[in-house]
């Protein structure tokens, strides 16, 4: 059975350390160090480290990528825009995974994921060298059937569903909208899985919002960053990651399973 066909089982946690770099960059200098955060996240139980090298380098910088890859033994999930510059950088480092994300407004769907359906030919060509270099390519998209079908057509093996709308509705206390977003995520996780895609999810997840998404049996990996880095201010990064890991395992009915 291929990885994409599996459901249930242990859910992987990718910890996004971008916002450690955001705090570092607020002052310039070297502290806090995202490499140290990546090493700590691995020790706390992260199955992977996620980092987004933005075109404007507002958090992670080029040198961070090399330093993080040298310091961790779990895989790096390198998030990037679909640009020639980023493709060149990814091919230089060949991280385990590359996640294509929108950065500019015109690259986004109405719900914030990558606009794949209107850019299929370019994106199909864009993925080829990354896949040939051995990177597992994923596409960050809204829970939208049209985008998921387009992602499958261009040959992406993995999609990451954008959970931002669900988390925003929860934060606003709009229960009807939250439940509607959650239902859409559930349905689209199942639909993507039926097409043979491996399904990941992330964006905006917190202790309060993670469990229902973690319970979707088709979801294999969650990528979580901003909340964990914020929570680390109060409880420490190790504790924040362990608590998130525990919530994910409980949602999966796997608490206490190594
Ligand atoms: N997944 C993807 C594709 C992302 O771009 C990000 C960061 O924006 C995340 C997950 C993590 O989101 P957050 O930092 O809100 O947890």
């Amino acid at each position: 059975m291929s990885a994409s066909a599996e459901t249930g089982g242990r859910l992987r946690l990718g910890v996004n350390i971008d916002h450690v770099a955001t705090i570092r960059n607020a002052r310039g200098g070297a502290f806090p160090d995202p490499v140290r955060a990546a090493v700590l996240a691995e020790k706390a139980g992260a199955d992977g480290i996620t980092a987004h090298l933005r075109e404007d380098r507002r958090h992670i910088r080029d040198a961070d990528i090399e330093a993080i890859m040298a310091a961790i033994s779990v895989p790096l999930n390198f998030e990037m825009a679909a640009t020639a510059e980023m493709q060149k950088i990814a091919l230089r480092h060949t991280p385990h995974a590359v996640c294509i994300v929108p950065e500019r407004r015109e690259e986004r769907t109405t719900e914030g994921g990558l606009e794949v359906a209107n850019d299929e030919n370019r994106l199909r060509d864009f993925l080829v060298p990354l896949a040939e270099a051995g990177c597992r390519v994923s596409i960050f998209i809204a829970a939208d059937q049209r985008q998921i079908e387009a992602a499958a057509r261009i040959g992406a093996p993995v999609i990451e569903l954008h959970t931002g709308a669900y988390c925003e509705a929860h934060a606003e206390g709009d229960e009807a909208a939250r439940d509607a977003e959650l239902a859409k995520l559930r349905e689209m996780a199942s639909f993507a899985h039926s097409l043979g895609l491996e399904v990941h999810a992330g964006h905006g997840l917190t202790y309060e919002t993670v469990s229902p998404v973690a319970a979707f049996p088709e979801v294999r990996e969650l990528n979580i960053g901003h909340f964990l880095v914020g929570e680390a201010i109060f409880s420490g990064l190790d504790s924040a990651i362990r608590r998130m890991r525990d919530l994910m395992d409980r949602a999966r009915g796997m608490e206490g399973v190594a």
Side-chain angles (χ1 to χ4, degrees):
M1 190 186 270
S2 73
S4 61
E6 289 171 13
T7 58
R10 190 173 181 279
L11 183 59
R12 294 192 299 269
L13 170 61
V15 172
N16 185 318
I17 43 90
D18 291 343
H19 297 298
V20 177
T22 305
I23 300 170
R24 174 195 63 189
N25 298 354
R27 266 288 171 94
F31 305 108
D33 180 2
V35 177
R36 186 172 167 198
V39 170
L40 214 150
E42 181 178 346
K43 283 203 186 102
D47 300 289
I49 300 300
T50 296
H52 182 181
L53 186 67
R54 295 189 71 102
E55 289 176 82
D56 65 6
R57 308 303 197 267
R58 76 175 68 147
H59 36 63
I60 291 296
R61 296 176 182 147
D62 300 60
D64 294 325
I65 295 297
E66 197 165 346
I68 291 166
M69 285 185 76
I72 59 174
S73 47
V74 288
L76 176 73
N77 173 28
F78 180 60
E79 293 178 352
M80 57 178 235
T83 65
E85 182 203 12
M86 288 299 152
Q87 189 188 55
K88 212 166 132 195
I89 294 170
L91 291 174
R92 194 160 67 236
H93 295 294
T94 57
H96 166 78
V98 169
C99 181
I100 311 295
V101 300
E103 285 192 20
R104 303 206 178 99
R105 190 146 287 284
E106 65 273 17
E107 294 169 344
R108 292 166 199 239
T109 65
T110 47
E111 286 157 286
L114 191 70
E115 177 52 67
V116 189
N118 290 340
D119 202 9
E120 274 189 45
N121 291 338
R122 186 182 78 88
L123 289 171
R124 184 185 288 108
D125 292 346
F126 187 82
L127 302 192
V128 172
L130 296 166
E132 283 177 356
C135 301
R136 185 202 67 191
V137 181
S138 72
I139 311 276
F140 187 44
I141 49 178
D144 173 335
Q145 184 166 333
R146 188 167 155 262
Q147 301 298 337
I148 294 168
E149 286 169 340
R153 275 197 301 272
I154 66 169
V158 180
I159 57 154
E160 179 162 331
L161 291 175
H162 197 309
T163 51
Y166 155 65
C167 293
E168 270 167 39
H170 174 82
E172 286 162 9
D174 186 340
E175 288 181 21
R178 180 201 61 196
D179 293 349
E181 291 298 338
L182 198 57
K184 206 169 12 169
L185 286 165
R186 185 183 296 111
E187 190 189 343
M188 289 300 113
S190 169
F191 176 68
H193 179 261
S194 76
L195 298 183
L197 294 163
E198 180 170 318
V199 183
H200 300 177
H203 205 278
L205 291 169
T206 65
Y207 295 150
E208 288 186 357
T209 51
V210 73
S211 299
V213 179
F216 298 162
E218 299 86 359
V219 173
R220 312 293 308 160
E221 177 176 312
L222 298 181
N223 285 294
I224 309 180
H226 184 265
F227 175 79
L228 289 172
V229 172
E231 197 58 22
I233 294 168
F234 306 106
S235 68
L237 192 57
D238 182 89
S239 156
I241 291 170
R242 286 181 197 278
R243 182 156 170 214
M244 189 62 83
R245 171 86 262 163
D246 186 53
L247 288 167
M248 288 165 55
D249 290 344
R250 281 174 193 278
R252 215 71 173 182
M254 298 197 73
E255 63 272 28
V257 179

